Amino acid sequence: MDQVDAALTSVSDMLYSWGLMWLLIGAGIFFTVRTGAVQLRHTDAIAASVVGSRDGSHGGITSFQAFAVGLACRVGTGNIVGVALALILGGPGAVLWMWLVAILGTATAFSEATLAQLFKVRRPDGTFRGGPAYYISRGLGLPILGGVFAVVFLIANGLVMPMVQANAITVALHRAGGLSPSLGAVLVVALTAPVLLGGLRAMARVAEYLAPFMALAYLVLVLAILLTHPAQAFEALCSIIEGAFGLRQGLGGVAGGLTAALLNGVRRGLFSNEAGLGGAACAAGSATVSHPVQQGFIQAFGVVVDTLFVCTATALAILVAGADVLHPGVSAKESAGTLTQDAIAHLVGEWSRWPMALLIVVLAYTTIIGAFSYAQVCLDYLTGRPGISRALQIGAVICAGVGSVQQLTTVWTLADVLLGLGAIINLVALVLLSRWVVGALRDWEARRGMSTSEGGQPVFRGDSQYLPAPLPEGAWEYSTGR
């Protein structure tokens, strides 16, 4: 097993250190150019995308619920631990590079969500399914490759991710109050079983309230810190700019210098907002909207919330606490696990450690829900048998219980490799299908302010003249038809 773990670790490091990172950056640049910088031209539509998004599910899942499911996975423990690690390794300058890749990532997120809507299909229960497996199959005409993606994502998100996040929950509870792993396992199973066994609608309902609420509560807490420490907040912002361009000595991370700031900021930004990785597209394809671009805008907004808001909040909280908790070039990599909690405890008091532990628990819990919903979408692509779906749900609950009591490093590394391979398949498909994204966007721009739905959004028809070809039979439905 040691040899297997070493081999998987080598593949994962190679995949995430260079290959996938540059593919994601390239995709962000490509879609920014291909869509005419949609994230800059339509900032008003992205900002307003949440308005009315909780209405009009027509028996399926609302646009906001799909957004919340994606947000549940995007805003996770990585926003707490991952950002702290980026600051340790790359210094304050890493934050600016996180911002840059988030701006590029909004174009990628917009594109994959729009494609997920275009090629989605309606199920007998009234819900929709869409995402990479569906647009690879129906858009590229490669159902076997779509099946490969579905299997890879199903294993990683449906079985392994519950283990990873359940372990994060029990570790956080143990650190905060000494709760034993066995009791933590009971708690995790009690929380996850009713939701996972309840199906996609139940997962969407829980994510709809928990994910946005916890993100907002965390942002309010950090805003209060910034308002009560204005001088330190201004200094933190200055250190981000200066560190990103190497304008001041002493602001580098453990790795040191401008390169460390760039690489660590880029990596954290890319893998936090998940744009292009394929998961959020699974959620996007489940929504009922009047126009595919509508869901593209709201998923792009999810990238903004994740990186520009939540990741920035974590970074600023740590930087405001300053040298008392963060020592660039000195702090050990292992300190990332508690650095954010230490910073907030230093600024507002030790009483905050339990609320922060609760925050981590909820973030990990919502990530389990969001990730499993991705797996459910992939399973529904592979088969419609209820018995197999129930077996996956039960398996996920069991995996959460197992992961609560022990770390399974090899399994976690395998999940990283599987998710990375799935992301590569997805990115290639996105580029090959980019003309469909452009066509849908042109249709929305042409219809904006003309034909509207009850919610004031343009209504898309499957036979739009702007699409490169007719949509496959059964793709794209809204309410009662195309």
Side-chain angles (χ1 to χ4, degrees), residues 70 76 100 103 113 120-121 128-129 132 134 137 140-141 163 167 177 228 280 308 330 395 416 426 455 462:
L100 178 61
I103 293 171
K120 70 182 182 182
V121 296
F128 288 106
R129 296 293 185 272
Y134 293 85
S137 173
L140 293 178
M163 291 185 180
N167 189 263
T228 53
L308 298 185
V330 177
D416 286 341
N426 182 53

Side-chain angles (χ1 to χ4, degrees), residues 113-307:
T114 300
L115 282 175
Q117 278 289 315
L118 277 172
F119 294 100
K120 70 182 182 182
V121 296
R122 185 186 287 274
R123 290 177 56 79
D125 64 357
T127 61
F128 288 106
R129 296 293 185 272
Y134 293 85
Y135 54 69
I136 290 170
S137 173
R138 304 171 73 81
L140 293 178
L142 298 173
I144 294 178
L145 185 60
V148 171
F149 177 91
V151 170
V152 165
F153 245 55
L154 187 155
I155 295 172
N157 287 292
L159 300 176
V160 180
M161 193 60 70
M163 291 185 180
V164 176
Q165 298 300 327
N167 189 263
I169 291 174
T170 54
V171 168
L173 292 174
H174 178 72
R175 286 175 177 171
L179 189 70
S180 68
S182 57
L183 289 178
V186 173
L187 177 63
V188 167
V189 171
L191 288 173
T192 57
V195 180
L196 298 190
L197 296 176
L200 194 59
R201 284 196 182 97
M203 295 177 231
R205 284 194 297 269
V206 173
E208 178 181 14
Y209 293 100
L210 268 185
F213 174 77
M214 293 308 296
L216 181 61
Y218 183 55
L219 291 174
V220 169
L221 172 62
V222 175
L223 179 61
I225 290 173
L226 299 180
L227 292 176
T228 53
H229 299 78
Q232 295 93 323
F234 178 76
E235 174 63 23
L237 289 172
C238 291
S239 69
I240 289 172
I241 305 299
E242 293 169 346
F245 299 103
L247 300 178
R248 193 201 306 177
Q249 297 297 318
L251 290 180
V254 171
L258 175 61
T259 302
L262 190 153
L263 289 179
N264 285 285
V266 167
R267 287 184 68 182
R268 176 43 41 202
L270 289 172
F271 300 125
S272 176
N273 64 53
E274 294 191 354
L277 299 184
C282 294
S286 302
T288 303
V289 291
S290 61
H291 199 289
V293 166
Q294 182 182 346
Q295 196 63 29
F297 285 141
I298 198 169
Q299 294 301 137
F301 182 68
V303 174
V304 173
V305 172
D306 171 83
T307 307

Side-chain angles (χ1 to χ4, degrees), residues 96-114:
L96 185 139
W97 301 112
M98 281 195 297
W99 295 342
L100 178 61
V101 298
I103 293 171
L104 292 175
T106 52
T108 309
F110 167 84
S111 299
E112 63 180 351
T114 300

